[in-house]
Amino acid sequence: MKRTDKVIITCAVTGSIHTPSMTPHLPITADQIAAEAIAAAEAGAAMVHLHARNPETGQPSQDPELFRQFLPRIKQSTDAIVNITTGGGLGMSLADRLAPAKMFRPEVCSMNMGSVNFNISGAGAKISEWQFDWELPYLEMTKDFILSNTFAQIEQAMTQLSDQGTRFEFECYDVAHLYNLAHFVDRKMVEPPFFIQGVFGILGGIGPDPENVMHMKSTADRLFGEDFIFSALAAGKHQMRLVTLSALLGGSVRVGLEDSLYAGRGKLATSNAEQVAKIRRVLEELSLTVATPDEARALMQTKGGDDVAF
């Protein structure tokens, strides 16, 4: 792994997994997404990972016009790296998923590194009343759903987005996804340093166990040597302990309401900034240094915040 004493905090602000009925604090409108991203950056996030939602229903959307409503405001108010999703919402076409990143040419976008069973049907188990008709069917359909990221799809996305200078947050839901990335590295389709985001705790992917974090990191060490930065995210209650382990191993961390709705046992997070502030306190108590946006840019070798289209 790339040797650094700086920990990059990424904040995933809203995502496409959780639904409005699960928490009153999930950002949905452009105003809410912008405010949450800016506050997360002020709390210590060097990078914000962004999805959009229909402002009337909270349903995930990849409509570029929705991104247009908050991207310039975030750029004007913070120096954080803007990272646009290409995962989008579950069941979207690849063209829809890529549309915002192709239009706005961000410094970084996410890149899922393999197809995976992606079952979030249990996420609404405690909900007795739903605000919107789409929520329960959206969750239930994932019992019979594959998040599609074939080699052809990955190659298409990498080619189109690399051509505009965008770098990637390589989301790896299992060890095999590291080998998928190595395949594209061998073909010279992406260049180091690689920002590898291990994803732990999605039903269908690798489990949320400390041993798995260490296994993913050690496998990446064998495959990529010092050409990568390791980061981790973990679903739900596993979030803080596993991202802390990533930092102890020399890696970086991701928090945010996309990954967990909680700030502690049984306590809903009231904002993304609350989670960022919490992990920052943990890191600083461990004598680890939180990277600034410019330090994160240098580590990731991004093109810079001025060379974007928003």
Side-chain angles (χ1 to χ4, degrees), residues 11-198:
C11 182
V13 171
T14 188
S16 62
I17 294 175
H18 297 119
T19 72
S21 296
M22 297 177 188
T23 176
H25 307 298
L26 187 70
I28 290 171
T29 67
D31 287 346
Q32 291 167 345
I33 292 169
E36 286 283 308
I38 293 164
E42 291 173 345
M47 180 158 62
V48 289
H49 172 72
L50 301 172
H51 289 241
R53 290 177 180 263
N54 180 311
E56 301 297 326
T57 66
Q59 192 164 7
S61 173
Q62 286 293 94
D63 182 351
E65 293 308 312
L66 292 176
F67 283 82
R68 192 187 302 277
Q69 293 173 26
F70 56 74
L71 289 176
R73 294 157 63 181
I74 294 169
K75 180 184 175 184
Q76 291 162 8
S77 301
T78 176
D79 193 35
I81 298 169
V82 169
N83 170 344
I84 294 179
T85 180
T86 66
L90 304 182
M92 293 181 182
S93 70
L94 182 64
D96 287 341
R97 289 161 51 186
L98 296 182
K102 289 173 64 177
M103 178 172 288
F104 297 112
R105 306 168 67 91
E107 288 183 80
V108 177
C109 69
S110 63
M111 182 65 60
N112 294 336
M113 287 313 299
S115 299
V116 62
N117 290 327
F118 198 99
N119 186 346
I120 57 169
S121 61
K126 297 181 180 179
I127 307 299
S128 57
E129 295 185 13
W130 298 92
Q131 294 182 46
F132 300 102
D133 291 343
W134 69 268
E135 295 179 79
L136 182 57
Y138 181 77
L139 299 175
E140 286 291 312
M141 71 90 175
T142 64
K143 293 178 182 177
D144 190 29
F145 175 74
I146 296 171
L147 180 60
S148 178
N149 297 286
T150 66
F151 283 95
Q153 289 173 325
I154 295 170
E155 180 171 346
Q156 178 182 342
M158 280 184 175
T159 300
Q160 294 179 7
L161 298 173
S162 292
D163 286 348
Q164 62 190 34
T166 296
R167 294 188 68 82
F168 303 109
E169 173 196 19
F170 294 107
E171 295 194 358
C172 297
Y173 292 78
D174 215 331
V175 176
H177 293 180
L178 295 173
Y179 288 89
N180 294 351
L181 175 56
H183 164 79
F184 289 103
V185 172
D186 289 343
R187 293 175 56 196
K188 310 293 186 185
M189 293 198 62
V190 286
E191 298 294 330
F194 313 114
F195 188 79
I196 295 175
Q197 189 73 259

Side-chain angles (χ1 to χ4, degrees), residues 271-305:
S271 69
N272 283 277
E274 183 179 6
Q275 290 187 356
V276 173
K278 180 174 182 176
I279 193 58
R280 182 172 188 167
R281 288 195 303 272
V282 170
L283 296 173
E284 291 177 343
E285 287 293 333
L286 294 169
S287 299
L288 297 170
T289 304
V290 174
T292 66
D294 282 343
E295 289 169 338
R297 285 185 173 93
L299 289 168
M300 299 173 67
Q301 296 182 20
T302 72
K303 63 183 180 178

